[in-house]
Amino acid sequence: MTLPETTQLAGRRRARANGWAGNALRFLVIIVTTYLGLLAVTFFIGRVIPIDPVLAILGDRAPAHVVERTRELLGFNKPLYQQFYIYVRDALTGNFGTSVLTTNPVMTDIRRVFPATLELATFGTIIGSLIGVPLGVLAAVKRGSIADQIVRVIGLVGYSVPIFWLALLSLLLFYARLKWVAFPGRIDIVYEYSFTPVTGLYLIDSAWQGQWDVFRDVFRHIILPASLLGYFSLAYISRMTRSFMLNELAQEYIVAARAKGLSESRIIWAHALRNAAVPLVTVIALSYAGLLEGSVLTETVFAWPGLGLYITNSLQNADMNAVLGGTIVIGSVFIAINILSDLLYRTLDPRTRAR
Amino acid sequence: MSEISQSPPMSRREWLMSDRPQSRLQARLGRAYMTWRRFSANRLAVAGLGIILLLILVAIFADVLAAHSPVIGNLAGARLLPPGSEGYLLGTDDQGRDILSRLLYGSRLTLLVIVLVAIIAAPIGLLVGAVSGYAGGWVDAVLMRITDIFLAFPKLVLALAFVAAMGPGIQNAIIAIAITSWPPYARIARAETLTVRNSDYIAAVRLMGASPFRIVLRHVMPMCVSSLIVRVTLDMAGIILTAAGLGFLGLGAQPPLPEWGAMIAAGRRFILDQWWVATMPGIAILVVSLGFNLLGDGLRDALDPRESGQ
């Protein structure tokens, strides 16, 4: 559950930037090889490691001809490279096989559960950024003060705490004792049938339809898991904000701004933060990707019907198609966010534009 | 040489701080002393070191410290006792087992996981990075592409998939975590290698006829170790959390092993009425991973003053 450190990765790629076409080509190579690598690893996990996938499906008492027939049906009699080719072809068209547990195609299941995870991770990132950035700025400006120390400890605890444990304790406090929040799942059973989601993002759907009682209920469900994920990303965001801000505050243009007589708050928020914001966008994007992953454990505790819970449920039932399909989807989103944040960085920072 | 013997006897501190060391040993000890001075000036880092030393001691002396068996409980008379009960400082779980004893024994599992992951992942990363950086060219391109691919993966989810395929258990959890945690080490080792590969001493070794194999193994890799140690220490907290997460999902250590994450999962059923069963192991995880984070921060500041310059 660590956050990715692809900022340095981005830096290395940036250093070699030459020309628009070269960039585009390089990106294409990166996307293709990374995605192929992801598929190769999941293929390896699914096809090579288990003793025999056919036996896993049929059990060890199936007659020999049935085993042979199944093997042919699933394409396991073909050489490994052909199997991999078929696997890649299927994965590119979104065909991850059928879930043993739900008997649906895995992609159908994922499409159903993914909005729940998306809504949770997005809300979490918003909370984490809205609190984490000001905290980081505060720590940088009051460097060495008590406030700086407190922010540091908040961040360190966020790095060190097992998120599922914090989730359990917060449920105990805010749900069982104080009764401030709702649990379990995304929405109360009362609204389960009267409310028809469109996008699958319940907060947006209910607000759009003007069902404010549903909105309130959804909010009461999402606020606790989203806050926990928000805390997790806050630890990372506040730490990075502090370091970026310290970097900017030591620059000469800050001295120049002070000499011009600008107010301190204007220097901090309008000048320094504006420049720190460029790398910060990358950090927030990466922490968003981290939350998609962090949601696996959080969703399990909150019975949140998202991709994380889907993966862990499938794990418990040895439903490998679903597990690997979920892994590929999360991995793809990860890769996409990595590349998007890299592109965003180039667009926002004029210095990295290769001209 | 005669000058040295005539100079007045130095205090041990002066001997260590000398900027003209007379022997390799003195130079090394002197450097270690400076590092220690920088490190120990940071009180939080020393606290982190203390926590880790305590963890190691507890793991070694678990059978002496623990008053009860970590596996066999007193089902008849001691189920779900609250903390502070007679003889059970942190209370008991649903099988009448002393939670404190289980935590003490569990420290062995925690230590086992982090040590094994470090022994497996760090050398792989070191080797990949050093070879990649020293060889350059297409070897570098291919190895780094593979590293980048692994870096782009979600670690926990990938570890989950590995364990799902190989079957739950602590060995498989360790292997899965190690497989997903070597790429950052490779990147660091490569960066360090690039800074030393064109230095004079490497050229001298090469001139003496050392094979590339020997150069990488004996002269490049040792240079990468200190930044690697910092990084591994900082990663320990993440490794502990991942292992605990796997244990919580039932994919790590299996019952009745007193793994802290699995203990939280077991206590989850009673969280509303017997809060301590799930709470205590979580505190243990938090304290230990906090210790590693503090220690790692301190080590980074002490070993690499440039990084912490701000």
Side-chain angles (χ1 to χ4, degrees), chain B residues 224-243:
Chain B
C224 314
V225 167
S226 82
S227 40
L228 212 60
I229 288 178
V230 172
R231 187 50 208 258
V232 170
T233 314
L234 278 172
D235 276 1
M236 290 293 183
I239 292 169
I240 291 173
L241 293 182
T242 311

Side-chain angles (χ1 to χ4, degrees), chain A residues 163-186:
Chain A
I163 194 167
F164 51 92
W165 175 74
L166 202 60
L168 278 174
L169 291 195
S170 61
L171 263 184
L172 177 64
L173 180 63
F174 294 112
Y175 169 70
R177 296 280 146 86
L178 296 174
K179 299 195 168 39
W180 286 357
V181 299
F183 173 78
R186 302 178 73 185

